[in-house]
Amino acid sequence: MTTLATPDGWRRPGPTAEQRRADLFIGLAVTALALFNLTLTTSAGVFQLGPPPSVPEQVFWAVAVTLPLAVRRRMPIIVTAVVSAAFIVAQVRAAPEMQLATAALFCSLYTAGAWAADHRRSRQVRAAIIAAMLGWLVVSIWLSVDSVPADAFEDAAGPVPPLLATIVNALLVNVLMFGFAFFAGETAWVAARRQHQLEEQAEELRRARDEAGERAVMVERLRIARELHDVVAHHVSVMGVQAAASRRVMDKDPARARTALAAIEQSARTAVDELRRMLSLLRQGTGTEEGPATVGVERAESLLDGARDAGLTARFGVFGTPVPLPDSLSQAAYRIVQESVTNTLKHAGASTIDVRIRYLAQELEVESTDDGRGGRMAAGGLGLIGMRERVAAHDGTLEVGPRPKGGFRVRARFPLAAQPACPVEVTEAAV
């Protein structure tokens, strides 16, 4: 399908194959009707423009004015120029068929306005044709004034002189008809351009929707990866440490080895339960960032059991008065502790770990420290990235790095709504 250009860069789609076929049928039908009307006109002897030319010439002018409509949308300006020229010459030659010829003229003017490639040129051509038509009308009236019979207006009774009324009526009707054809073409062209703009906007919205969908899928994949890391890495790390301890004491201290194996079994069950919970949430298609929280900061102390089973000295303390937390924030704090304990077990070579939860006036602070090697995080791992994402999602701050006196610290602060002042409560557990 071809396209038609406009001076401002817009290209209107040209006529489709179906539209071209419709133009062909319309052109042939109008031509046939014009020939039929010519037969009726000559049979009735209605020759308003004077003695008609020969029959072949009458047929020629009827066809010349109407048949170009068969390609009106393919070559709108050329068709308009041909139809207009044939129309004027046909009138000069006193061709009797004018009804269908007039309709063809107005149709061609409309088509030039609605479908011309160069819209500015189309306006100029149409304005020139209309001016020529009105000029020809004035000339025709001027030439025919002297030939008006004296008794042509015997029944006239209005306040306006009959000849003047006839002239004004002819001019007014033609101006209205030509104006209608001109502005109807303009309206059709503007409507087509607006439709094109709407289609472009719809396409942009579709692309934006697709991009948003792709981003949502990516975010969901990152969330799943983060959840898998948090759930699996902690328990697998604990299981690895305990398995190593069990292997070392298997022969020397079977009781301790059995204890380590039992801890491994419990860690495996816990990991499976959490994986089953997470997969269940994914199957349900939850649209929340974290999903309904089944773990929270109140369960953070249980994360140290694996560290204790692995032989570390683990301390846990809650400072301040616990306040109700949003599920997502509580789970984020839990995951921060989980990732910190996992990194201590996997990378630190530490002997102690200290986890503290502080409920401050306007913040929740989660801090994990150990006495292991400073400056270690798994290369390419998701742990630190996951912690930063969780903290950022709640407009908090995260500090991760070695301590000046040795060891490693993870400290996350989450802003809270202001809480009423109340006595400070401190609970602490240590092994």
Side-chain angles (χ1 to χ4, degrees):
M1 182 175 63
T2 58
T3 55
L4 303 177
T6 57
D8 60 0
W10 175 59
R11 299 177 66 86
R12 176 179 181 175
T16 62
E18 183 179 356
Q19 289 171 329
R20 291 195 293 268
R21 286 194 299 269
D23 289 345
L24 177 61
F25 295 148
I26 290 173
L28 294 175
V30 172
T31 301
L33 287 175
L35 294 175
F36 180 68
N37 190 53
L38 174 63
T39 302
L40 297 179
T41 301
T42 55
S43 298
V46 180
F47 305 119
Q48 296 180 353
L49 301 178
S54 63
V55 173
E57 187 176 350
Q58 295 177 32
V59 172
F60 172 79
W61 293 121
V63 173
V65 176
T66 56
L67 188 58
L69 295 182
V71 292
R72 65 187 183 94
R73 279 185 280 198
R74 296 187 188 183
M75 300 175 289
I77 292 182
I78 294 176
V79 168
T80 303
V82 170
V83 170
S84 300
F87 183 87
I88 291 179
V89 177
Q91 283 202 331
V92 172
R93 296 294 299 164
E97 203 299 300
M98 283 291 106
Q99 290 87 352
L100 272 298
T102 302
L105 174 63
F106 291 136
C107 180
S108 67
L109 286 170
Y110 161 80
T111 304
W115 289 88
D118 189 336
H119 195 64
R120 180 178 298 178
R121 181 185 175 195
S122 168
R123 287 177 179 173
Q124 296 171 349
V125 170
R126 284 178 292 146
I129 289 174
I130 292 174
M133 289 293 177
L134 294 178
W136 166 246
L137 178 62
V138 171
V139 171
S140 299
I141 293 173
W142 179 266
L143 294 176
S144 61
V145 167
D146 294 337
S147 61
V148 175
D151 58 350
F153 305 108
E154 287 184 353
D155 297 329
V160 180
L163 182 58
L164 178 61
T166 302
I167 294 174
V168 172
N169 177 263
L171 290 173
L172 180 61
V173 169
N174 278 273
V175 167
L176 290 176
M177 294 298 293
F178 282 117
F180 176 80
F182 184 91
F183 289 107
E186 291 289 306
T187 301
W189 186 87
V190 171
R193 184 175 183 183
R194 287 178 179 172
Q195 178 65 27
H196 169 76
Q197 293 171 340
L198 290 175
E199 291 173 355
E200 279 194 335
Q201 292 173 359
E203 178 64 20
E204 290 178 0
L205 290 174
R206 186 194 63 78
R207 287 196 298 267
R209 181 193 61 198
D210 292 344
E211 292 174 359
E214 292 176 359
R215 287 195 296 270
V217 170
M218 184 176 296
V219 170
E220 183 66 8
R221 290 175 62 185
L222 291 174
R223 185 181 76 84
I224 293 172
R226 187 174 61 214
E227 287 295 313
L228 284 172
H229 177 273
D230 291 342
V231 170
V232 175
H234 172 74
H235 295 290
V236 172
S237 297
V238 171
M239 291 162 61
V241 172
Q242 291 169 340
S246 175
R247 177 179 54 79
R248 287 194 296 269
V249 301
M250 181 70 69
D251 297 329
K252 298 178 181 179
D253 192 348
R256 186 177 178 185
R258 284 194 296 271
T259 301
L261 290 174
I264 292 173
E265 180 182 4
Q266 182 59 40
S267 294
R269 290 176 178 173
T270 303
V272 170
D273 289 341
E274 291 204 29
L275 281 173
R276 184 181 294 112
R277 176 193 63 82
M278 187 185 67
L279 293 175
S280 175
L281 292 177
L282 291 175
R283 292 191 187 100
Q284 295 171 7
T286 178
T288 60
E289 168 65 17
E290 299 291 346
T294 59
V295 293
V297 70
E298 68 278 358
R299 293 181 53 186
E301 185 176 4
S302 64
L303 296 170
L304 297 176
D305 293 341
R308 291 167 181 150
D309 294 337
L312 275 68
T313 300
R315 299 187 182 90
F316 180 83
V318 178
F319 301 85
T321 302
V323 297
L325 301 175
D327 288 345
S328 60
L329 191 152
S330 181
Q331 187 177 17
Y334 175 89
R335 295 301 187 193
I336 295 295
V337 176
Q338 185 180 55
E339 181 60 31
S340 300
V341 174
T342 299
N343 283 329
T344 297
L345 291 172
K346 291 174 63 176
H347 310 298
S351 60
T352 63
I353 181 172
D354 189 350
V355 176
R356 302 188 179 194
I357 309 295
R358 299 185 180 92
Y359 290 88
L360 307 178
Q362 296 182 354
E363 286 183 330
L364 172 68
E365 183 179 272
V366 178
E367 183 182 56
S368 173
T369 58
D370 61 51
D371 61 353
R373 299 184 299 273
R376 81 280 180 271
M377 291 295 286
L382 295 175
L384 180 58
I385 296 175
M387 285 194 289
R388 292 194 185 282
E389 289 178 352
R390 293 182 188 281
V391 173
H394 296 279
D395 298 324
T397 58
L398 178 68
E399 301 174 17
V400 178
R403 296 191 298 171
K405 295 182 180 181
F408 201 78
R409 173 187 286 116
V410 174
R411 178 185 293 157
R413 292 188 178 94
F414 300 92
L416 297 175
Q419 302 292 332
C422 48
V424 174
E425 299 180 5
V426 177
T427 61
E428 187 168 2
V431 175

